[in-house]
Amino acid sequence: MIGHTELAKRFGTPSYVYDLDRVRAARRDLLAALPDEVHLFYAAKANPHPDVLREMRGDGGRGCRAEISSVGELAAVLTAGFSGADILYTGPGKTAEELTEALAKGVRLFSVESPGDLRRVGEAAGRLGVTADCLLRVNSVSASTATSIRMTGVPSQFGFDSETLADLREKVSDVPGTTIAGLHFFPLSNAADEASLIAEFRHTIEKAAELQEQLGIRFRFVDIGGGFSAPYAAGGERPVYGELREALAATLDTHFPRWRDGGPRIALESGRYLVGDSGTLLVGVVNIKESRGRRFVILDGGINTFGGMSGLGRILPVSVLPNESAPGAGDPAMLVGPLCTPGDVLGRDVVLADPAPGDLLTIPNAGAYGVTASLLMFLGRPAPTEVVVRGPDVVSASRIDHIRTYAYGQAPR
């Protein structure tokens, strides 16, 4: 791959570099860890760059389908070559206008979070004279493990509470414009290890079979979620799962004996695992400042460039180029961006060796939740450049621009 220093000189900083070879490797590794009959959805919110989306779709081999939560993502995945039949539309705030547009573009599979959400999907489908297949998203009351980032078991805008779903059978089974195709789960994110991931999937599959009996509906489709782990803005390698394939198949054989023949079709989903290690963020040092005993390294990109996890107080390890100082050499510093807010912090007590204006810092494993998860418009600074590479070649270099569209009145002259 082209060196980061060369790319920074050519395209400037801040810049993201996405390596499509690593995207392909992650897709290949995850699909290999799943039974061949299983569908895999790529969560477009992780990185909706057009080149990344096209790589996820695949080129004739086994590829991903698309999971989206907005008409913006709908447009992006359709442009990348996905069809409406490839798409699962999710999210708790789907408006009538969004649903109409999605259905008109051929989307037929929707995850619904509540009776009201289900009715809105049905009303939109009815206006167009079509029927939407709906997956009831489940907020399970219990889980197999307390590790990782829990997504269920608490009051939430996401999903039907599992303990009340059977009581809603009549409300959900006969909504005009819809059919209940199955269930959608997403119980955790970033599983601590493969054993935890397998245990959670086993628990989810057992719960899906239990709910099928309680509801009296033969499911055609069950999405059991994700939870695949990958380092985020830190050193390390994403895991390759060696036990998952057999464990999933055995559990599905027990609870859904006809799953291999599509009774029901089984799906999983992933975002960060598939793109996280493909991306590197390049930022430049603008200034060094001392204040009351603390050193501040001021960068040309902050939470306007990489804001997806900044609110969690993540400390982002970096390496300094071109002198490539060894980690641990030097003194701790605050890494801050260029915005006029004290919240613009990328890292606390990050050890750097004698940083100076003009140095290049790289943040690894930054391919997910980067540009579109950041405060792009704050202070009107330009978006970072996104450079896509494959091997020694630059595939594309682009930047998102913000354009104000007037619904009333005229632009000032």
Side-chain angles (χ1 to χ4, degrees):
M1 193 184 83
I2 303 173
H4 292 146
T5 301
E6 180 182 343
L7 290 172
K9 288 180 179 178
R10 184 173 173 184
F11 298 107
T13 57
S15 293
Y16 280 89
V17 181
Y18 307 133
D19 185 346
L20 293 181
D21 287 338
R22 295 188 73 87
V23 175
R24 176 171 292 190
R27 189 192 76 207
R28 178 201 63 215
D29 288 347
L30 189 51
L31 285 169
L34 304 176
D36 292 342
E37 299 86 353
V38 164
H39 298 257
L40 179 62
F41 285 98
Y42 170 59
K45 60 181 171 289
N47 188 329
H49 191 285
D51 291 323
V52 172
L53 290 173
R54 280 189 286 268
E55 188 61 51
M56 287 301 170
R57 186 170 57 86
D59 50 5
R62 190 181 178 200
C64 297
R65 299 174 67 176
E67 184 262 309
I68 65 171
S69 297
S70 72
V71 292
E73 290 182 345
L74 172 64
V77 300
L78 291 175
T79 300
F82 291 89
S83 69
D86 296 324
I87 296 169
L88 168 63
Y89 202 119
T90 70
K94 299 181 285 289
T95 68
E97 294 77 13
E98 292 168 346
L99 290 168
T100 298
E101 183 170 346
L103 288 159
K105 295 292 177 60
V107 180
R108 292 294 182 269
L109 186 62
F110 295 83
S111 172
V112 295
E113 316 276 0
S114 65
D117 195 22
L118 178 63
R119 285 194 300 272
R120 279 191 294 276
V121 173
E123 289 165 0
R127 287 192 293 270
L128 294 176
V130 300
T131 300
D133 285 331
C134 294
L135 306 180
L136 305 177
R137 179 162 175 174
V138 178
N139 178 4
S140 295
V141 70
S142 62
S144 69
T145 175
T147 61
S148 311
I149 301 174
R150 302 299 318 165
M151 302 291 287
T152 57
V154 296
S156 174
Q157 71 268 44
F158 299 112
F160 292 80
D161 295 339
S162 60
E163 68 273 24
T164 66
L165 191 53
D167 295 334
L168 297 174
R169 174 181 173 180
E170 293 185 3
K171 280 190 174 182
V172 302
S173 61
D174 194 25
V175 176
T178 71
T179 59
I180 301 305
L183 301 177
H184 178 202
F185 295 82
F186 200 88
L188 82 165
S189 178
N190 206 34
D193 50 44
E194 186 171 19
S196 297
L197 185 67
I198 290 172
E200 194 64 51
F201 282 140
R202 283 174 173 156
H203 179 78
T204 296
I205 293 166
E206 291 170 6
K207 174 57 68 174
E210 177 186 323
L211 288 172
Q212 178 174 250
E213 294 305 313
Q214 290 179 1
L215 290 169
I217 300 172
R218 292 294 101 183
F219 295 150
R220 292 180 285 117
F221 202 101
V222 176
D223 182 339
I224 61 174
F228 306 103
S229 176
Y232 182 80
E237 301 292 327
R238 59 175 174 79
V240 176
Y241 297 108
E243 308 296 328
L244 180 60
R245 183 185 179 100
E246 290 188 7
L248 276 177
T251 305
L252 288 166
D253 285 341
T254 298
H255 296 283
F256 291 100
R258 295 185 56 250
W259 71 276
R260 296 176 190 273
D261 300 319
R265 288 179 291 167
I266 302 298
L268 292 92
E269 58 194 81
S270 178
R272 182 170 66 179
Y273 181 93
L274 289 168
V275 292
D277 76 344
S278 72
T280 303
L281 173 60
L282 314 182
V283 289
V285 177
V286 176
N287 192 25
I288 310 296
K289 179 182 184 293
E290 299 287 339
S291 176
R292 293 176 177 157
R294 298 206 72 174
R295 180 171 58 163
F296 290 81
V297 178
I298 301 169
L299 309 173
D300 57 13
I303 57 175
N304 59 315
T305 298
F306 191 65
M309 293 290 181
S310 63
L312 298 181
R314 296 292 179 93
I315 298 175
L316 310 183
V318 298
S319 57
V320 179
L321 298 176
N323 56 326
E324 298 186 30
S325 299
D331 298 318
M334 292 276 288
L335 297 186
V336 300
L339 305 183
C340 298
T341 168
D344 190 12
V345 178
L346 287 188
R348 298 172 174 84
D349 297 323
V350 176
V351 176
L352 299 174
D354 300 323
D359 278 348
L360 177 67
L361 307 188
T362 66
I363 298 176
N365 292 314
Y369 304 110
V371 176
T372 55
S374 303
L375 301 181
L376 279 182
M377 294 188 68
F378 191 45
L379 285 183
R381 299 184 70 87
T385 302
E386 294 177 276
V387 183
V388 180
V389 301
R390 191 191 297 277
D393 300 321
V394 174
V395 175
S396 68
S398 61
R399 177 183 286 120
I400 296 172
D401 286 330
H402 303 288
I403 301 174
R404 184 178 298 277
T405 301
Y406 278 79
Y408 181 81
Q410 296 181 345
R413 297 180 179 179

